[in-house]
Amino acid sequence: MAQPLILGIESSCDETAAAVIRGRTLLSDEIVSSASVQAKFGGVVPEIASRIHSDAVDEVVLRALGRANVKKEELDAVAVTYGAGLLGALLVGLSFAKGLAYGLDIPLIGVNHIRGHLAASYLEDETLAPPFVTLLASGGHTAILYAKTKTDFEVLGGTLDDAAGEAFDKVARVLGLPYPGGPHVERLAREGRAVVPMPKMLKGLGGYDFSYSGLKTHIINYVHTKEQGEAWSKADVAASFQSAALDILAEKTVEGALERHVGTVTAGGGVVANGYLREKLQTVCREAGLKLVLPAKKHCTDNAAMIAAEGLIRYEAGDFAPLSLNACASIPLR
Ligand code: KG4
Ligand code: ZN
């Protein structure tokens, strides 16, 4: 059977993106980001995001089709993020996708953005198959998941408060770094040493849970105290925070894989673009004899390739959405 040709569209936050896949092969992957505009405001302004999506969406889709050398009439389905995210932003991609699916008389597939982050690994390694354990670490979610099948997973544990990306963004703000904070903290951390004592991350009862609030408060207090007089190194604080925040994610993920007796670990979400975390995951997986599949950095942060990849899973399951599908600001992980 011919492999399905799927267009993925993503517009949940500040990236307008479109990608085309044939089976698990990525043919094109286009993106327009409004992050530099949003940086002026220290975060994403929903109305600005929606306007930029409206201006960019048709051009991005045309570019994705052009790069893939595909005519829209050849598409088998359109997959689009319907949640979670900013409602106005989601509606831009969703309305566009509905129009296209209706006009071409092909299925519309509604994709849960977080499921997209999980599916990014399938594009990285075409042989990847469940079961495996995944570390999901984005701006809104941080969890360790046991993927039983392509569509069914169990949450082993996760953050009790802030998501990892959120913690990076908040610490970046305290250190006077721009939005989005993660890449700036990472860059600064490379110039520092992890020598500032950090509190032990609070662990929840479940064994796989953890909390970022103590770490964040500790850094806020540390910086405020030092600002009263003593010399201190921002780069050392960044490096110390980074290792305290990320080591636990890598270690807990490996624990989960060993406990569930799976041989493979995957990861996804914006924080997985962090070089320190990627190296740490490589080290702990190698030591534990586990195979690690890490999506390319550009497929960790928001992108449409991952939406198309999750779209393929839904396509194969015959899980199509009605044209009445609405955007949802929040949807559960499962
Ligand atoms: O997955 P993502 O692009 O969007 C959501 O679905 O949330 O994740 C965005 C988050 C932001 O909090 C951002 O600061 C963080 O991922 N992030 C990073 C890095 N790149 C992005 N955090 C740490 N290091 C990075 N290099
Ligand atoms: Zn995301």
Side-chain angles (χ1 to χ4, degrees), residues 113-114 117 138-140 165-166 168-169 180-183 186 269-271 273-274 300-302:
H113 179 87
I114 296 302
H117 278 303
S138 72
E166 204 177 346
F168 267 84
D169 293 339
E186 181 183 0
V271 179
N274 181 287
C300 291
T301 46
D302 290 349

CSV table of all heavy atoms in Angstrom, one decimal, residues 113-114 117 138-140 165-166 168-169 180-183 186 269-271 273-274 300-302, ligand 1:
chain,number,residue,atom,x,y,z
A,113,HIS,N,-1.3,18.7,20.9
A,113,HIS,CA,0.0,19.2,20.8
A,113,HIS,C,1.1,18.3,21.5
A,113,HIS,O,2.2,18.1,21.0
A,113,HIS,CB,0.1,20.6,21.3
A,113,HIS,CG,1.4,21.3,21.2
A,113,HIS,ND1,1.8,21.9,20.1
A,113,HIS,CD2,2.4,21.4,22.1
A,113,HIS,CE1,3.1,22.4,20.3
A,113,HIS,NE2,3.4,22.1,21.5
A,114,ILE,N,0.7,18.0,22.7
A,114,ILE,CA,1.7,17.2,23.6
A,114,ILE,C,1.9,15.8,23.0
A,114,ILE,O,3.1,15.3,23.0
A,114,ILE,CB,1.1,17.0,25.0
A,114,ILE,CG1,1.0,18.4,25.6
A,114,ILE,CG2,2.0,16.2,25.9
A,114,ILE,CD1,2.3,19.2,25.7
A,117,HIS,N,4.6,16.2,20.5
A,117,HIS,CA,6.0,16.2,21.0
A,117,HIS,C,6.4,14.7,21.2
A,117,HIS,O,7.6,14.4,21.0
A,117,HIS,CB,6.0,16.9,22.4
A,117,HIS,CG,6.2,18.4,22.2
A,117,HIS,ND1,7.2,19.0,21.5
A,117,HIS,CD2,5.4,19.4,22.7
A,117,HIS,CE1,7.0,20.3,21.5
A,117,HIS,NE2,6.0,20.6,22.2
A,138,SER,N,8.3,20.2,28.3
A,138,SER,CA,8.1,21.4,27.5
A,138,SER,C,7.8,22.6,28.4
A,138,SER,O,8.1,22.6,29.5
A,138,SER,CB,6.9,21.1,26.6
A,138,SER,OG,5.7,21.1,27.3
A,139,GLY,N,7.2,23.6,27.8
A,139,GLY,CA,6.9,24.8,28.6
A,139,GLY,C,5.7,24.6,29.5
A,139,GLY,O,5.5,25.3,30.5
A,140,GLY,N,4.8,23.7,29.1
A,140,GLY,CA,3.6,23.5,29.8
A,140,GLY,C,3.5,22.2,30.6
A,140,GLY,O,2.7,22.0,31.5
A,165,GLY,N,10.3,23.8,31.4
A,165,GLY,CA,10.5,25.0,30.6
A,165,GLY,C,10.0,26.2,31.3
A,165,GLY,O,10.7,27.3,31.2
A,166,GLU,N,9.0,26.1,32.1
A,166,GLU,CA,8.4,27.2,32.8
A,166,GLU,C,9.5,27.6,33.9
A,166,GLU,O,9.7,28.8,34.1
A,166,GLU,CB,7.2,26.7,33.5
A,166,GLU,CG,6.2,27.7,33.9
A,166,GLU,CD,4.9,27.0,34.5
A,166,GLU,OE1,4.8,25.7,34.4
A,166,GLU,OE2,4.2,27.7,35.1
A,168,PHE,N,12.7,27.2,33.7
A,168,PHE,CA,13.8,27.9,33.0
A,168,PHE,C,13.4,29.3,32.7
A,168,PHE,O,14.2,30.3,32.8
A,168,PHE,CB,14.1,27.2,31.7
A,168,PHE,CG,15.2,26.2,31.8
A,168,PHE,CD1,15.0,24.9,32.3
A,168,PHE,CD2,16.5,26.5,31.5
A,168,PHE,CE1,16.0,24.0,32.4
A,168,PHE,CE2,17.6,25.6,31.6
A,168,PHE,CZ,17.3,24.3,32.1
A,169,ASP,N,12.1,29.5,32.2
A,169,ASP,CA,11.7,30.9,31.8
A,169,ASP,C,11.7,31.8,33.1
A,169,ASP,O,12.0,33.0,33.0
A,169,ASP,CB,10.3,30.8,31.2
A,169,ASP,CG,10.4,30.1,29.8
A,169,ASP,OD1,11.5,30.0,29.2
A,169,ASP,OD2,9.3,29.6,29.3
A,180,PRO,N,12.3,33.6,24.9
A,180,PRO,CA,12.1,32.5,25.9
A,180,PRO,C,13.4,32.1,26.6
A,180,PRO,O,14.4,32.1,26.0
A,180,PRO,CB,11.6,31.3,25.0
A,180,PRO,CG,12.2,31.6,23.7
A,180,PRO,CD,12.4,33.1,23.5
A,181,GLY,N,13.3,31.9,27.9
A,181,GLY,CA,14.4,31.8,28.8
A,181,GLY,C,15.4,30.7,28.6
A,181,GLY,O,16.6,30.8,28.7
A,182,GLY,N,14.8,29.5,28.2
A,182,GLY,CA,15.6,28.3,28.2
A,182,GLY,C,16.9,28.4,27.4
A,182,GLY,O,18.0,28.1,28.0
A,183,PRO,N,16.9,28.8,26.1
A,183,PRO,CA,18.1,28.8,25.4
A,183,PRO,C,19.1,29.9,25.9
A,183,PRO,O,20.3,29.6,25.9
A,183,PRO,CB,17.7,29.3,23.9
A,183,PRO,CG,16.2,29.1,23.9
A,183,PRO,CD,15.7,29.1,25.3
A,186,GLU,N,20.8,28.3,29.0
A,186,GLU,CA,21.7,27.3,28.5
A,186,GLU,C,23.0,28.0,28.0
A,186,GLU,O,24.1,27.5,28.4
A,186,GLU,CB,21.1,26.5,27.4
A,186,GLU,CG,22.1,25.4,26.9
A,186,GLU,CD,21.7,24.6,25.7
A,186,GLU,OE1,20.6,24.8,25.2
A,186,GLU,OE2,22.5,23.7,25.3
A,269,GLY,N,9.8,17.7,23.5
A,269,GLY,CA,9.4,19.0,24.1
A,269,GLY,C,10.6,19.9,24.1
A,269,GLY,O,11.8,19.5,24.0
A,270,GLY,N,10.3,21.2,24.2
A,270,GLY,CA,11.3,22.3,24.0
A,270,GLY,C,12.6,22.1,24.9
A,270,GLY,O,13.7,22.4,24.4
A,271,VAL,N,12.4,21.7,26.1
A,271,VAL,CA,13.6,21.6,27.0
A,271,VAL,C,14.6,20.5,26.5
A,271,VAL,O,15.8,20.6,26.8
A,271,VAL,CB,13.1,21.3,28.5
A,271,VAL,CG1,14.2,21.2,29.4
A,271,VAL,CG2,12.1,22.4,28.9
A,273,ALA,N,15.7,20.3,23.7
A,273,ALA,CA,16.6,21.0,22.8
A,273,ALA,C,17.9,21.4,23.6
A,273,ALA,O,18.9,21.8,23.0
A,273,ALA,CB,16.0,22.2,22.2
A,274,ASN,N,17.8,21.3,24.9
A,274,ASN,CA,19.0,21.7,25.8
A,274,ASN,C,20.1,20.7,25.7
A,274,ASN,O,20.0,19.5,25.9
A,274,ASN,CB,18.5,21.8,27.2
A,274,ASN,CG,19.5,22.2,28.2
A,274,ASN,OD1,20.4,21.5,28.5
A,274,ASN,ND2,19.4,23.5,28.6
A,300,CYS,N,12.3,19.3,18.7
A,300,CYS,CA,11.9,19.3,20.2
A,300,CYS,C,11.1,20.6,20.5
A,300,CYS,O,10.0,20.5,21.1
A,300,CYS,CB,13.2,19.3,21.0
A,300,CYS,SG,14.1,17.8,20.9
A,301,THR,N,11.5,21.7,20.0
A,301,THR,CA,10.7,22.9,20.2
A,301,THR,C,9.6,22.8,19.2
A,301,THR,O,9.5,21.9,18.3
A,301,THR,CB,11.6,24.2,19.9
A,301,THR,OG1,12.3,24.0,18.7
A,301,THR,CG2,12.5,24.5,21.0
A,302,ASP,N,8.6,23.7,19.3
A,302,ASP,CA,7.4,23.6,18.5
A,302,ASP,C,7.6,23.5,17.0
A,302,ASP,O,8.4,24.3,16.5
A,302,ASP,CB,6.4,24.7,18.8
A,302,ASP,CG,5.8,24.5,20.2
A,302,ASP,OD1,6.0,23.4,20.8
A,302,ASP,OD2,5.1,25.4,20.7
B,1,KG4,O1,7.8,22.5,23.6
B,1,KG4,P1,7.9,23.9,23.6
B,1,KG4,O2,8.6,24.6,22.4
B,1,KG4,O3,6.5,24.6,23.7
B,1,KG4,C1,5.5,24.1,24.6
B,1,KG4,O4,4.8,23.2,24.1
B,1,KG4,O5,5.5,24.5,25.8
B,1,KG4,O6,8.7,24.3,24.9
B,1,KG4,C2,9.0,25.7,25.2
B,1,KG4,C3,9.8,25.7,26.5
B,1,KG4,C4,10.1,27.1,26.9
B,1,KG4,O7,9.8,27.2,28.3
B,1,KG4,C5,11.6,27.3,26.6
B,1,KG4,O8,12.2,28.1,27.5
B,1,KG4,C6,12.0,25.8,26.8
B,1,KG4,O9,11.1,25.0,26.2
B,1,KG4,N1,13.3,25.6,26.0
B,1,KG4,C7,14.5,25.3,26.6
B,1,KG4,C8,15.4,25.3,25.6
B,1,KG4,N2,14.8,25.6,24.4
B,1,KG4,C9,13.5,25.8,24.7
B,1,KG4,N3,14.8,25.1,27.9
B,1,KG4,C10,16.0,24.8,28.2
B,1,KG4,N4,17.0,24.8,27.3
B,1,KG4,C11,16.8,25.0,26.0
B,1,KG4,N5,17.8,25.0,25.1
